């Protein structure tokens, strides 16, 4: 083929026309610069990374990459690792239930430890939109979940790099909240045909009902399901995690964030063992907001009140003499405004610590009545504003009831996690109350029927 037709619309793939441009132009221009191509490329990447503004990408970048960066303890890491080595690696169906508070690092630990043992992690995410089969019929979430689990635990994915795979279920379909028999049937099917392990992640605060119904002790014993409970992240683990992510956030989002030690201290003061919540709070605290706008337009508070300091203000109120009247040094309404997003947690902290500073039994009686009513208002989920009302009422009531607080330093204790026992007691009390109402009514009905039968016999 000749190159006489320079304006041809079809250029052959292997016949290149001669050109007068030097082939070493790019190399010569790179040689004129002082930096090597690798250094310039790294500099360009660093400049681009400082412009990161996506919250999801920031959270993804802050995920732990090594075992030493995990928030859970070494003991729990060893328990999960032993399960992966002994139970999950024998190519037989095995199930692990990993429970713990929200944000303590359960999912991150499973993913990282599974990759350390050569597993490809496949995560189930409950779809929001309904799906249709080949006959244009809408399939149920439970059916799609069963089909996904069976396929993922029986056949290997072509996208994986290892010889083993593990299915991670963090969001169980809502249909199993009521259809317990359907979930038990799914477990029987899985233990018959499944080959790869499954890990269910349950959050105690939100999904504790699952542990009492779907993963009850009798169910775990029947199918041989293992259970590992993970505690909330300790203050030391939270501090190490915040120090690790602070430099990372400043490097990839320096144009939007500026994380300082003051922001870390404020975040740790409000943390209750939730690494995810602490990370989000650190990101929002470190946002670069113009100072003049934040004071005049946005109305952002200049002070950030920590959880422990807020509890101290309520259980040990300080008063100033203003003539014949006495006023609180700290405004109760302002204190309540800092904790409107975590009313239940703040009220529980008050319940655990209010007796430390109360002097008389009469004041303790009034304070307990106030806390009981606040607990009732917080349990009403049909109106969101009742939570704010309960918080304001509880703070004002405790500050007024404690006339002369007991002086001295009292450490603030974390509330005990006795919610399962409380729910069990409430369910028992509710059952007994209904029985007390139904059984006398049944007894009266039987007596009326017996009297009617006797009357009918006498008439005959």
């Amino acid at each position: 083929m000749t190159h006489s037709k320079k304006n041809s619309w079809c250029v052959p793939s292997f016949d290149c026309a001669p050109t007068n441009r030097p082939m070493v132009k790019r190399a010569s221009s790179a040689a004129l610069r002082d930096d090597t191509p690798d250094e310039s490329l790294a500099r360009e990447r660093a400049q681009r990374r400082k412009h990161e503004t996506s919250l999801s990408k920031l959270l993804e970048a802050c995920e732990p990459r090594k075992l030493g960066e995990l928030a859970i303890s070494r003991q729990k890491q060893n328990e999960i690792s032993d399960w992966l080595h002994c139970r999950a690696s024998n190519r037989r169906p095995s199930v692990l239930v990993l429970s713990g508070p929200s944000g303590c690092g359960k999912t991150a630990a499973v993913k990282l430890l599974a990759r350390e043992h050569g597993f490809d992690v496949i995560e189930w995410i409950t779809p929001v939109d309904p799906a249709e089969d080949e006959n244009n019929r809408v399939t149920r979430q439970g059916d799609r979940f069963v089909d996904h689990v069976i396929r993922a635990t029986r056949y290997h994915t072509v996208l994986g790099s290892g010889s083993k795979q593990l299915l991670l279920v963090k969001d169980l379909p809502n249909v199993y909240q009521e259809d317990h028999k359907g979930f038990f049937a799914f477990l029987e099917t899985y233990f018959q045909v499944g080959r790869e392990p499954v890990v269910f992640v349950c959050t105690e605060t939100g999904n504790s009902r699952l542990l009492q119904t779907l993963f009850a002790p009798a169910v775990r014993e029947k199918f041989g399901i293992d259970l590992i409970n993970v505690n909330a992240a300790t203050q030391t683990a939270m501090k190490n995690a915040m120090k690790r992510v602070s430099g990372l956030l400043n490097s990839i989002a320096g144009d939007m964030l500026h994380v300082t030690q003051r922001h870390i201290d404020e975040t740790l003061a409000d943390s209750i063992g939730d690494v995810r919540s602490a990370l989000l709070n650190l990101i929002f605290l470190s946002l670069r907001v113009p100072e003049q706008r934040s004071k005049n337009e946005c109305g952002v508070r200049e002070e950030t009140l920590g959880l422990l300091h807020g509890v101290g203000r309520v259980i040990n109120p300080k008063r100033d003499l203003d003539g014949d009247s006495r006023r609180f040094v700290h405004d109760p309404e302002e204190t309540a405004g800092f904790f409107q997003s975590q009313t239940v947690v703040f009220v529980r902290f008050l319940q655990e610590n209010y007796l430390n500073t109360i002097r008389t039994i009469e004041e303790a009686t009034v304070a307990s009545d106030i806390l009981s009513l606040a607990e009732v208002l917080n349990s009403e989920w049909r109106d969101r504003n009742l939570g704010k009302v309960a918080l304001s009422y509880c703070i004002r009531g405790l500050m007024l009831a404690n006339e002369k607080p007991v002086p001295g330093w009292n450490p603030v204790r974390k509330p005990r996690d006795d919610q399962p026992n409380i729910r069990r007691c409430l369910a028992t009390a509710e059952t007994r109350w209904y029985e007390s109402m139904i059984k006398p009514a049944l007894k009266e009905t039987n007596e009326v029927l017996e009297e009617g039968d006797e009357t009918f016999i006498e008439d005959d």
Side-chain angles (χ1 to χ4, degrees), residues 268-288:
L268 293 176
D270 295 337
S271 64
I272 53 176
D274 191 337
V275 180
R276 186 188 307 109
S277 177
L279 178 57
L280 291 174
N281 291 336
L282 180 64
I283 291 175
F284 288 117
L285 279 176
S286 307
L287 287 174
R288 292 180 179 272

Side-chain angles (χ1 to χ4, degrees), residues 415-458:
R416 293 170 293 180
D417 188 12
D418 54 354
Q419 292 302 313
N421 296 331
I422 294 176
R423 295 191 187 96
R424 194 180 301 110
C425 293
L426 290 177
T428 304
E430 185 178 2
T431 303
R432 292 178 179 177
W433 183 73
Y434 278 116
E435 289 179 353
S436 66
M437 294 183 61
I438 295 174
K439 288 184 178 179
L442 292 176
K443 185 177 180 181
E444 294 177 358
T445 304
N446 294 332
E447 292 178 355
V448 171
L449 292 176
E450 290 177 358
E451 293 177 358
D453 293 339
E454 294 177 358
T455 304
F456 178 76
I457 293 172
E458 292 176 358

Side-chain angles (χ1 to χ4, degrees), residues 5 8 28 80 82 95 142 162 231 271 366 391:
K5 296 181 179 180
S8 175
S28 60
I80 300 174
D82 293 341
V95 176
N231 300 324
S271 64
V366 175
L391 181 63

Side-chain angles (χ1 to χ4, degrees), residues 51-72:
H51 298 283
E52 186 62 62
T53 58
S54 174
L55 180 60
S56 60
K57 292 183 179 180
L58 291 178
L59 296 177
E60 183 180 358
C62 294
E63 291 182 357
R65 309 294 180 184
K66 303 177 182 178
L67 296 180
E69 298 176 354
L70 292 175
I72 67 175

Side-chain angles (χ1 to χ4, degrees), residues 17-205:
T19 176
N20 296 326
R21 292 179 298 178
M23 298 299 294
V24 296
K25 182 178 181 180
R26 181 175 299 176
S28 60
S29 60
L32 293 176
R33 295 194 299 265
D34 296 334
D35 298 337
T36 62
D38 294 338
E39 293 177 353
S40 61
L41 183 60
R43 183 175 300 175
E44 291 178 1
R45 289 180 178 177
Q47 292 177 355
R48 289 198 302 267
R49 291 177 66 188
K50 282 185 173 294
H51 298 283
E52 186 62 62
T53 58
S54 174
L55 180 60
S56 60
K57 292 183 179 180
L58 291 178
L59 296 177
E60 183 180 358
C62 294
E63 291 182 357
R65 309 294 180 184
K66 303 177 182 178
L67 296 180
E69 298 176 354
L70 292 175
I72 67 175
S73 62
R74 285 286 185 184
Q75 179 183 359
K76 298 301 178 181
Q77 292 183 31
N78 294 334
E79 291 182 11
I80 300 174
S81 181
D82 293 341
W83 183 86
L84 291 172
H85 178 71
C86 300
R87 298 293 302 274
S89 300
N90 54 8
R91 306 304 300 270
R92 297 177 60 185
S94 56
V95 176
L96 171 66
V97 178
L98 192 63
S99 65
S102 176
C104 64
K106 303 183 295 297
T107 305
V110 170
K111 291 182 178 179
L112 191 56
L113 290 171
R115 293 192 182 99
E116 290 287 335
H117 286 77
F119 285 92
D120 292 326
V121 179
I122 302 175
E123 185 174 358
W124 160 263
I125 300 176
T126 302
V128 179
D129 300 328
E132 297 180 352
D133 56 7
E134 60 274 6
N135 298 323
N136 296 329
R137 292 179 299 184
V138 178
T139 58
R140 298 171 61 249
Q141 277 191 0
D143 297 337
R144 298 177 63 184
F145 175 73
V146 173
D147 181 70
H148 175 81
V149 172
I150 299 303
R151 290 177 181 272
T153 58
R154 189 170 178 83
Y155 307 105
H156 286 282
T157 176
V158 296
L159 303 178
S161 57
S163 60
K164 301 177 294 184
Q165 59 189 22
L166 178 144
L167 178 63
L168 179 63
V169 181
K170 186 178 180 181
D171 184 16
L172 200 64
N174 295 329
V175 65
Y176 293 130
Q177 296 285 348
E178 301 297 335
D179 187 14
H180 301 163
K181 294 182 179 180
F183 183 76
F184 299 150
F186 151 72
L187 288 178
E188 293 180 355
T189 305
Y190 163 73
F191 278 97
Q192 290 175 359
V193 301
R195 296 177 181 174
E196 302 295 344
V198 180
V199 177
F200 291 94
V201 178
C202 298
T203 303
E204 287 182 354
T205 55

